[in-house]
Amino acid sequence: MGSDRVSRSPWLSHLIFRCREVHGGGQAMAGQWRAAAHGALFSLAAVVAGVASGQIADQPGLRTPQVLVVPQEPRRSPVELTQDAQAAPASVTVIQKAELDRKAITTYGDVFRGVPGMWVNEYGQGGVAYGLSMRGFDDGNHGRDVAVFLDGVPLNVSASQHTNGYIDLAQLIPELISRVDVTRGPFSPFVGNHAVAGSVQLYTDVAPVSSTRASVDNFGRYRVVPILATSAGPGKLLVAAEASDGRGYTDNSRVQRLNLFSRYVFPMLEGLGAFRMQAYEGDADAPGYLNRQAIENGSLRERSALSPGIGDTKVQQNLVFNYRSNDAEGRDGGGWLVNLYVINDERNRWAAFAPPQIPPLAGNLSQEKDKLQQFGGEVRKTASFDTGAMPSQASVGVQANQENLDAQNFSTDQARQVISRSVNRRIDTSTVAGYGQYQVKPVEPLKLTVGVRYDHFETRIRAGADDTTVPAAVRWTDGQWSPKLGMALRVFQAGEYQAELFANAARGLKAPWPFGELTATPALRISPLTSYEAGIQGATSDNRVFWRLSLWQTRQERESAFNPASLRLESFGSTQRDGVDLEAQWQLTDAVRLFGNYSRVDARSRTAAAGQQAISNVPDYVVALGVHSLRTFGLHRVDLSLVDLLIGPKPLNAERSLETGSYHRVTARAAYGHESWRGATVFLSLIAYPGANRNLNETSFDFGGFVAASPKAPYRAIVGVTIPF
């Protein structure tokens, strides 16, 4: 059989809409394809320059990017009646456009670094999905326990053969993201499966500035992002692209991406509708996981590659429609919300899980191939009214999602030529959910929130004739009611300063993994969890000062996860996680903002034997300290940012006989602009892992016979330029 590279589709259709602000205001890819695609991208950059400089009717003159130290929007109090996640009676972090523009973003993982209680594991193994983790859940399972949505579209893949809830955000173009809502814990009734650690809602920018951004790092990896925003007929048209190519720190590491994005927003049925189309394609070579002990004793270079052929490819096309009625008034009022989507995704990964040899290992590779067709939608109605004399707001909605996955696994040689097939399954997973949320203010300083959600799942698995390791057919169905309760009370108010108490309790769930659990145990039930949180927070009305302290606990039943040591799914039984989060920010002057946060967690199995209760790949604590400064000196504008992340030690096995050390990840960014540059800026970003062998601690796993590591570059420097039009 021949090489099984991903088949490429000519376009990707992805639509998004956020309605509040819009209206009124192997080796490498084939050389010929890459040259044509990248040439088209640079042509688009030229079109952006030509069109935006004089042909965009609603953008007269040149716009200087608004990079602000203070947040763009006022803080939402948890006693407000609103759908805004920031006002939920729970620990929520909102990252707005101004802050995203100031981050040293090299990959999508950098969007989330520094969020209180959240950490990122960037595996360094090509384009595989990173570990996004919080609330004491494992960072080695590709974000499976965080439910992530982009403009209302669910991005976790339940049926993936790699892990249950595999979340790959490689198709994100960070420059197009205007807001990120991070809710810690399963407290939102608007999300269900996979939100055991929490949920993330990403929104694309409704009013981007036409521009071109280009950058290159010290390894020669470049990135170009042209953006064109203009009026078109009755609506607004956005066309953007992203191309990146280049090597990484380790040998045989190379990632190439091409991303095309378009969106059209238009008046529709007394509201606004939008279509978004996107096409993404990526190809990567990777070094494989290296023997950490061999690196530390000097017998193996940390930049070595395990074996040729390791890496992955991915193509995705999706189409999304969004609608919100005018009476929605952003996220605060009533109205209708509709999201519909269709996604086609094909992913291949080639890997070798074995201790590296010197010279490099000459063995076969394991290939995972997932071909996914996904479609679904959501309809929500929100109304604001009075219950007697008490202000109230209610939201009700339904969601449906269908995943049809063809999962295959092959043995290949190092040229990725197929030798044999071991897995050949069709997995169809249907999810239907209904939810409701009611908020009421019995008295002005008090808000009560009651929510309920029901999720119903149905999965069918059919094995091919050559897949004899599982039953020929499996049908599984189950459902769960998940109540949500919350309270927020303003306990102090003096002038512009106020403080609030908040508390919430919720039930969440994790449906079984179709590929790994239901094929082995068709009678398995949903894994339920309960979570509790209580805290206090205070802030000034202009958000110059903000702080929050929260205590939380989560208990989960029948928890399981993939163990890289045994290459099998293993059960933790009943688990418990206890933690504390502390965060604060202080606008020291109009030009300087200080911020910091600290999170500590104790994650353990309640049913394992004494001394074997640790949950692996969960750091004991996470600390972030940072400063942002923005100053103007006459015609000069200087924007500085410095952030130090300290990640504590994490166990690599249940006995804690193996664990990583703590490590710092320091990021610094400096941007400079001059009045005569008409809004253009140049920037320099630096990412460093200071200390001997500290660059081995982010990605280390117990592979049984050895500790596997994926070394990070001790430092990475990126220089670039942003030119608005």
Side-chain angles (χ1 to χ4, degrees):
M1 301 173 69
S3 176
D4 200 0
R5 293 276 187 165
V6 174
S7 60
R8 297 186 173 91
S9 300
W11 57 275
L12 159 66
S13 162
H14 195 64
L15 160 87
I16 160 178
F17 167 55
R18 192 177 158 207
C19 73
R20 182 173 58 143
E21 310 144 288
V22 180
H23 196 56
Q27 295 293 328
M29 297 180 186
Q32 291 182 347
W33 172 86
R34 185 173 67 248
H38 291 192
L41 184 67
F42 284 106
S43 297
L44 178 58
V47 170
V48 170
V51 174
S53 62
Q55 300 178 24
I56 298 179
D58 63 335
Q59 292 186 7
L62 299 173
R63 298 178 57 183
T64 300
Q66 294 297 311
V67 183
L68 306 177
V69 175
V70 295
Q72 292 174 296
E73 299 178 4
R75 184 184 72 94
R76 297 289 188 183
S77 167
V79 299
E80 290 185 46
L81 294 177
T82 170
Q83 296 179 72
D84 195 314
Q86 196 174 18
S91 292
V92 176
T93 295
V94 174
I95 311 172
Q96 297 177 12
K97 179 65 174 176
E99 185 176 351
L100 289 170
D101 286 343
R102 310 184 82 249
K103 283 176 171 280
I105 295 179
T106 58
T107 70
Y108 70 81
D110 295 325
V111 170
F112 307 101
R113 295 187 193 271
V115 172
M118 194 171 189
W119 67 98
V120 178
N121 194 333
E122 186 179 340
Y123 302 122
Q125 297 302 309
V128 297
Y130 300 164
L132 302 180
S133 305
M134 53 187 171
R135 289 283 156 109
F137 282 84
D138 181 0
D139 73 5
N141 275 287
H142 306 277
R144 56 170 248 153
D145 295 317
V146 180
V148 182
F149 299 78
L150 176 60
D151 296 316
V153 179
L155 301 183
N156 301 78
V157 181
S158 299
S160 168
Q161 66 174 302
H162 199 71
T163 194
N164 181 13
Y166 185 88
I167 175 64
D168 185 2
L169 304 181
Q171 70 269 23
L172 289 185
I173 301 177
E175 287 81 358
L176 298 182
I177 302 299
S178 65
R179 174 168 165 145
V180 182
D181 294 348
V182 179
T183 301
R184 290 177 282 282
F187 301 117
S188 172
F190 305 135
V191 296
N193 195 21
H194 309 305
V196 291
S199 58
V200 173
Q201 299 280 355
L202 297 144
Y203 302 95
T204 53
D205 197 351
V206 295
V209 175
S210 295
S211 63
T212 297
R213 174 174 291 189
S215 63
V216 63
D217 70 7
N218 55 309
F219 301 109
R221 179 176 294 175
Y222 76 84
R223 183 171 178 267
V224 181
V225 183
I227 299 171
L228 170 63
T230 183
S231 296
K236 305 282 187 177
L237 175 65
L238 169 66
V239 180
E242 175 193 34
S244 63
D245 188 3
R247 300 189 178 280
Y249 173 62
T250 51
D251 297 342
N252 202 43
S253 63
R254 187 182 187 97
V255 178
Q256 301 170 324
R257 292 191 175 102
L258 179 64
N259 204 345
L260 304 176
F261 179 100
S262 64
R263 182 189 64 213
Y264 185 63
V265 181
F266 54 93
M268 176 183 176
L269 299 176
E270 298 184 349
L272 287 171
F275 282 102
R276 189 186 74 196
M277 297 184 291
Q278 187 178 2
Y280 170 81
E281 188 168 325
D283 196 334
D285 296 307
Y289 287 104
L290 306 180
N291 188 315
R292 176 166 179 155
Q293 183 178 6
I295 294 173
E296 292 176 330
N297 65 28
S299 61
L300 182 67
R301 293 171 54 249
E302 68 179 27
R303 302 185 67 170
S304 298
L306 171 61
S307 174
I310 294 174
D312 56 89
T313 62
K314 176 177 177 174
V315 295
Q316 185 184 103
Q317 308 89 36
N318 52 56
L319 171 65
V320 182
F321 168 76
N322 302 97
Y323 168 78
R324 191 188 292 268
S325 57
N326 287 336
D327 58 342
E329 299 176 3
R331 287 183 296 272
D332 299 336
W336 290 92
L337 171 71
V338 179
N339 300 313
L340 303 172
Y341 55 88
V342 178
I343 301 172
N344 180 67
D345 186 284
E346 184 173 329
R347 182 186 69 88
N348 283 273
R349 186 190 182 197
W350 291 265
F353 296 99
Q357 300 176 359
I358 305 173
L361 183 69
N364 293 334
L365 304 176
S366 174
Q367 177 193 353
E368 293 177 350
K369 181 176 183 178
D370 282 354
K371 296 183 66 175
L372 172 70
Q373 289 80 44
Q374 182 180 0
F375 57 91
E378 175 182 14
V379 178
R380 183 192 307 173
K381 170 64 176 175
T382 299
S384 298
F385 53 91
D386 290 336
T387 304
M390 299 181 296
S392 305
Q393 186 182 87
S395 299
V396 294
V398 293
Q399 297 169 336
N401 181 67
Q402 177 73 35
E403 295 181 19
N404 300 325
L405 182 78
D406 289 319
Q408 300 181 74
N409 203 290
F410 303 91
S411 175
T412 77
D413 61 20
Q414 294 182 358
R416 301 182 180 177
Q417 300 293 321
V418 172
I419 299 172
S420 61
R421 181 168 63 184
S422 57
V423 169
N424 181 21
R425 301 171 199 168
R426 168 77 178 208
I427 303 174
D428 297 330
T429 299
S430 301
T431 304
V432 178
Y435 60 82
Q437 177 176 269
Y438 174 66
Q439 303 177 69
V440 62
K441 297 181 71 171
V443 292
E444 174 54 34
L446 174 66
K447 183 181 80 174
L448 302 177
T449 302
V450 178
V452 66
R453 180 183 178 92
Y454 181 76
D455 291 271
H456 179 79
F457 304 94
E458 183 173 344
T459 296
R460 297 190 178 193
I461 304 172
R462 299 185 296 276
D466 54 349
D467 191 344
T468 59
T469 61
V470 296
V474 172
R475 181 174 180 179
W476 174 88
T477 184
D478 200 0
Q480 177 178 298
W481 288 96
S482 302
K484 322 279 184 177
L485 302 173
M487 179 276 294
L489 175 66
R490 184 182 300 117
V491 294
F492 177 80
Q493 185 167 13
E496 295 187 348
Y497 184 83
Q498 64 184 33
E500 303 105 355
L501 291 171
F502 63 90
N504 48 80
R507 193 182 193 205
L509 62 91
K510 184 79 172 181
W513 184 20
F515 182 84
E517 290 179 296
L518 294 181
T519 52
T521 312
L524 197 63
R525 301 297 303 277
I526 286 172
S527 171
L529 76 151
T530 55
S531 188
Y532 306 92
E533 181 180 44
I536 183 171
Q537 66 183 39
T540 56
S541 59
D542 60 4
N543 212 20
R544 296 182 71 90
V545 175
F546 172 79
W547 59 270
R548 178 192 287 137
L549 172 66
S550 60
L551 305 174
W552 56 270
Q553 181 186 89
T554 294
R555 290 191 176 187
Q556 185 172 0
E557 304 299 326
R558 300 190 293 274
E559 181 179 351
S560 60
F562 181 76
N563 185 345
S566 61
L567 297 181
R568 295 195 308 270
L569 191 76
E570 296 187 357
S571 173
F572 293 124
S574 176
T575 60
Q576 180 170 324
R577 294 166 171 85
D578 300 280
V580 56
D581 296 328
L582 175 63
E583 56 184 297
Q585 66 179 34
W586 178 23
Q587 192 72 41
L588 184 62
T589 69
D590 288 342
V592 178
R593 178 163 65 95
L594 307 176
F595 63 93
N597 55 73
Y598 168 81
S599 299
R600 176 172 283 276
V601 63
D602 176 22
R604 63 192 183 279
S605 169
R606 300 171 63 230
T607 53
Q612 300 180 0
Q613 296 179 322
I615 295 179
S616 59
N617 306 314
V618 176
D620 295 335
Y621 56 84
V622 180
V623 182
L625 295 172
V627 58
H628 291 326
S629 174
L630 176 63
R631 291 185 177 274
T632 300
F633 306 94
L635 301 179
H636 308 276
R637 180 185 178 94
V638 180
D639 187 5
L640 302 174
S641 177
L642 178 65
V643 181
D644 181 13
L645 286 178
L646 172 60
I647 311 296
K650 58 184 178 182
L652 299 181
N653 57 17
E655 300 83 11
R656 288 200 79 124
S657 58
L658 294 173
E659 65 177 21
T660 67
S662 62
Y663 67 95
H664 290 265
R665 186 183 190 273
V666 179
T667 60
R669 184 179 185 274
Y672 171 77
H674 192 275
E675 184 68 23
S676 64
W677 293 2
R678 300 161 68 98
T681 58
V682 295
F683 61 88
L684 169 66
S685 298
L686 179 67
I687 300 150
Y689 292 82
N693 290 333
R694 296 294 180 90
N695 59 329
L696 301 179
N697 287 323
E698 180 175 315
T699 308
S700 285
F701 299 108
D702 176 18
F703 272 26
F706 72 109
V707 175
S710 180
K712 303 295 180 289
Y715 75 92
R716 183 182 178 193
I718 304 101
V719 296
V721 60
T722 301
I723 305 174
F725 300 100

